[in-house]
Amino acid sequence: MSASAPLVAVCQFAPTDSRGSNIRRVTELVTEAAARGARVIVLPEYASFFTDPMDDSLAANAETLDGPFAQALRRLAAEHDVVVVAGLIEQADAGRVRNTLVAVSDAGVQAMYRKQHLYDAFGQTESAWIEAGEAGQTSVFDVDGIRFGMMTCYDLRFPEVARTLVDAGADALIVPAEWVRGALKEHHWNTLLTARAIENTTYVIAADHPAPIGVGLSQVIDPQGVVVAGVSAGEGIALASVDPQLIARTREINPVLRLRRYVVSPKG
């Protein structure tokens, strides 16, 4: 393992409809993960506020990108010298909201990503409440020489999202999620996370909600598709290193990015 390989943490927890309780739980998780050496700490989708089923309370509890939740993340990042990635409900027009990820350091929001593919599947209709992000948006940030790219939950089913992030230089893909339980959903989650790692020769760092609403199974997968750290069904934290030498070796022996004949141009 490279001496410059930063530790990343996935924090699996169940956000609620209490913003204050969510911030307190995020504080506990970030503090613990940082104490264990993590440099990048990943929390799930909807970490600022969540209700099931979705309703008008989403808009009532939406925030700006410099609102209380992002400010709390900034204080934690400054206190522990880390970057925190989390999902928040962002204000939008006409009573709708955006499903947004932020990567926050001591300097504030370093990158943000608005979910492109809304979960209108398996009997759910996320688009009734959420405004989709711009198609083709790429969101990346750098920590300790590693470039991280962000995508959200249902985006995982669309390989183009991951590929545009890799075309923007991503070495690791961060996937906060609320992967709803259902028939074969654990199988889909594990298969798609592994596929995105193997086909892009990147790390995949995924943080989900625990059971009974999410499938859990937050995990870190290396560029060869090996799960190197993970959490089971309940709340918890898992840590692993993102090793640039392993990325380079994997891309040398399996140069899929260089040999592919279909190239997606990243957008802005």
Side-chain angles (χ1 to χ4, degrees):
M1 182 185 301
S2 170
S4 61
L7 274 175
V8 298
V10 288
C11 298
Q12 183 166 291
F13 87 105
T16 70
D17 59 2
S18 168
R19 289 190 290 169
S21 294
N22 293 335
I23 288 176
R24 287 190 290 274
R25 186 67 181 120
V26 165
T27 298
E28 293 170 351
L29 291 165
V30 170
T31 300
E32 179 180 345
R36 294 168 62 181
R39 291 280 294 125
V40 176
I41 300 171
V42 180
L43 298 150
E45 180 184 20
Y46 291 117
S48 70
F49 180 87
F50 183 71
T51 186
D52 181 52
M54 293 182 176
D55 57 29
D56 292 336
S57 64
L58 288 174
N61 288 275
E63 304 185 18
T64 64
L65 295 181
D66 59 355
F69 187 73
Q71 289 298 320
L73 298 185
R74 181 175 182 175
R75 289 191 295 271
L76 288 167
E79 179 179 354
H80 299 292
D81 189 25
V82 296
V83 172
V84 183
V85 178
L88 65 82
I89 301 298
E90 183 192 0
Q91 292 176 356
D93 296 328
R96 294 166 69 80
V97 299
R98 299 184 182 97
N99 184 337
T100 302
L101 301 179
V102 289
V104 182
S105 73
D106 60 350
V109 174
Q110 298 301 295
M112 75 87 182
Y113 171 78
R114 293 174 177 139
K115 188 176 184 180
Q116 295 178 39
H117 297 92
L118 302 182
Y119 187 54
D120 289 0
F122 299 95
Q124 306 288 321
T125 313
E126 190 178 32
S127 64
W129 309 101
I130 309 294
E131 177 184 301
E134 181 184 358
Q137 174 191 9
T138 55
S139 182
V140 297
F141 64 94
D142 298 323
V143 176
D144 296 345
I146 300 293
R147 176 158 289 185
F148 296 86
M150 300 194 295
M151 57 195 293
T152 308
C153 198
Y154 195 56
D155 285 325
L156 185 64
R157 292 183 180 271
F158 301 86
E160 301 88 353
V161 179
R163 184 51 56 86
T164 58
L165 290 170
V166 173
D167 285 341
D171 305 299
L173 306 175
I174 291 176
V175 190
E178 199 288 289
W179 198 265
V180 180
R181 294 177 70 83
L184 297 176
K185 293 296 289 298
E186 290 90 343
H187 171 62
H188 291 185
W189 173 248
N190 287 327
T191 300
L192 291 166
L193 290 173
T194 303
R196 299 296 88 86
I198 293 171
E199 70 195 7
N200 292 295
T201 54
T202 60
Y203 281 85
V204 172
I205 304 157
D208 191 25
H209 292 214
I213 294 178
V215 301
L217 304 176
S218 298
Q219 55 198 277
V220 181
I221 302 174
D222 78 10
Q224 300 182 91
V226 177
V227 177
V228 291
V231 183
S232 59
E235 292 198 351
I237 299 173
L239 291 92
S241 297
V242 175
D243 187 353
Q245 292 184 7
L246 178 58
I247 297 169
R249 289 197 303 272
T250 302
R251 290 177 175 177
E252 180 179 358
I253 63 174
N254 182 26
V256 291
L257 300 180
R258 177 170 56 83
L259 295 178
R260 65 192 168 117
R261 300 180 69 185
Y262 294 87
V263 178
V264 178
S265 299
K267 184 177 180 180

